[in-house]
């Protein structure tokens, strides 16, 4: 299985700029060894998906509600993302966990809803800086995995240290490798042999300058890219660093 390079556009992109970015990424996406995904704001999933149809670039959402439908003002059901053309969804991103108080149990319920709607979930986990300084990173990530993943999980995990997101700072290569090896062991214990098939992305200040080193580390199955995914040339250079 190739690596997955996923762009999280977050709350960026009016229609014109989203379309321009999608087209620029699609233009450079031929012949890459990795899988490519962009997760634009929900308002532009359908037009971006239309622009990317027939290209190697897939489209995903950035969150979904756990319920199928109902009185949840402002939220989106997984089936709505699917209906708009998404095939993937990011769940449990640290910005959702912080801004909206999302718990592991809520993330687990969202994972179930996403899978039921035909979406592949990308579940984000990662420690804060205080937790890493206290040496608690494996305990924190282990707890998040235990609480966020169902026993039959078949999606993707993204390890995103909270303190590395949007800061220009990354863990050392040894620390990234150690955490990815730890996550693989947790997945194998929890899911059995199918835990081997779960790609484990690294996310947190990935850029064209550090992508080759990060993508070459053991158990790194790709990258979840925030800021650098908003510039097509940067996103594509990261994708060229992937295997
Ligand atoms: C993210 O928010 O998922 C992320 C990895 O952001 P950045 O690449 O900007 O650190």
């Amino acid at each position: 299985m190739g690596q997955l390079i996923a762009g999280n556009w977050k709350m960026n992109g009016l229609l014109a700029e989203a379309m321009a970015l999608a087209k620029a990424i699609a233009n450079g996406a031929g012949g890459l060894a990795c899988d490519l995904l962009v997760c634009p704001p929900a308002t532009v999933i359908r037009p971006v998906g239309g622009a990317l149809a027939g290209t190697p670039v897939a489209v995903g959402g950035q969150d979904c509600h756990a319920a199928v439908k109902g009185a949840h003002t402002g939220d989106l059901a997984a089936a709505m993302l699917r209906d708009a053309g998404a095939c993937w969804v990011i769940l449990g991103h640290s910005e959702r966990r912080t801004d909206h108080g999302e718990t592991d149990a809520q993330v687990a319920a969202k994972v179930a809803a996403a899978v039921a709607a035909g979406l592949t979930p990308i579940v984000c986990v990662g420690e804060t800086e205080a937790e890493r300084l206290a040496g608690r990173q494996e305990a924190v990530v282990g707890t998040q995995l235990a609480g966020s993943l169902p026993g039959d999980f078949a999606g993707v995990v993204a390890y995103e240290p909270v303190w590395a997101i949007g800061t220009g700072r990354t863990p050392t290569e040894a620390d990234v490798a150690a955490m990815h090896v730890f996550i693989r062991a947790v997945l194998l214990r929890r899911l059995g042999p199918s835990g081997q098939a779960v790609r484990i992305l690294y996310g947190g200040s990935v850029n064209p300058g550090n992508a080759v080193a990060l993508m070459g580390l053991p158990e790194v199955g790709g990258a979840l890219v925030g800021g650098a995914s908003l510039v097509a040339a940067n996103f594509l250079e990261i994708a060229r660093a992937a295997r």
Side-chain angles (χ1 to χ4, degrees):
M1 192 167 12
Q3 292 182 318
L4 170 65
I5 304 300
N8 175 10
W9 294 3
K10 308 193 186 190
M11 199 170 70
N12 297 290
L14 301 181
L15 180 61
E17 54 193 344
M19 293 297 276
L21 178 55
K23 286 176 187 165
I25 290 171
N27 281 340
L32 290 169
C34 62
D35 294 330
L36 275 184
L37 167 67
V38 294
C39 298
T43 47
V44 296
I45 285 176
R46 187 182 295 282
V48 164
L52 296 176
T55 79
V57 189
V59 182
Q62 299 175 13
D63 176 52
C64 71
H65 198 280
V68 171
K69 61 163 80 171
H72 302 288
T73 302
D75 280 314
L76 293 170
M80 293 171 176
L81 296 179
R82 189 78 190 89
D83 190 47
C87 294
W88 297 75
V89 63
I90 299 168
L91 295 174
H93 190 282
S94 70
E95 287 154 14
R96 301 283 322 170
R97 291 178 186 263
T98 303
D99 294 357
H100 301 273
E102 284 188 9
T103 63
D104 292 334
Q106 285 170 323
V107 175
K110 291 177 180 213
V111 169
V115 172
L119 299 173
T120 302
I122 300 175
V123 175
C124 301
V125 294
E127 81 284 356
T128 63
E129 184 157 36
E131 289 163 344
R132 177 162 282 271
L133 289 173
R136 296 187 54 237
Q137 64 273 13
E138 290 190 354
V140 168
V141 168
T143 300
Q144 289 174 329
L145 291 170
S148 305
L149 303 186
D152 59 352
F153 184 70
V156 170
V157 169
Y159 168 56
E160 299 208 303
V162 177
W163 53 274
I165 294 176
T167 60
R169 299 163 59 207
T170 57
T172 65
E173 291 173 22
D175 285 345
V176 172
M179 181 58 84
H180 280 246
V181 168
F182 169 76
I183 292 173
R184 176 68 66 210
V186 171
L187 292 173
L188 288 170
R189 261 201 314 277
R190 173 139 186 150
L191 308 175
S194 56
Q196 194 60 48
V198 173
R199 283 184 282 197
I200 308 167
L201 312 185
Y202 170 76
S205 296
V206 178
N207 61 48
N210 60 24
V212 170
L214 288 166
M215 293 306 102
L217 295 172
E219 300 294 0
V220 171
L224 182 52
V225 186
S229 74
L230 297 174
V231 177
N234 291 343
F235 187 62
L236 289 166
E237 200 172 334
I238 292 167
R240 282 191 289 273
R243 296 172 268 141

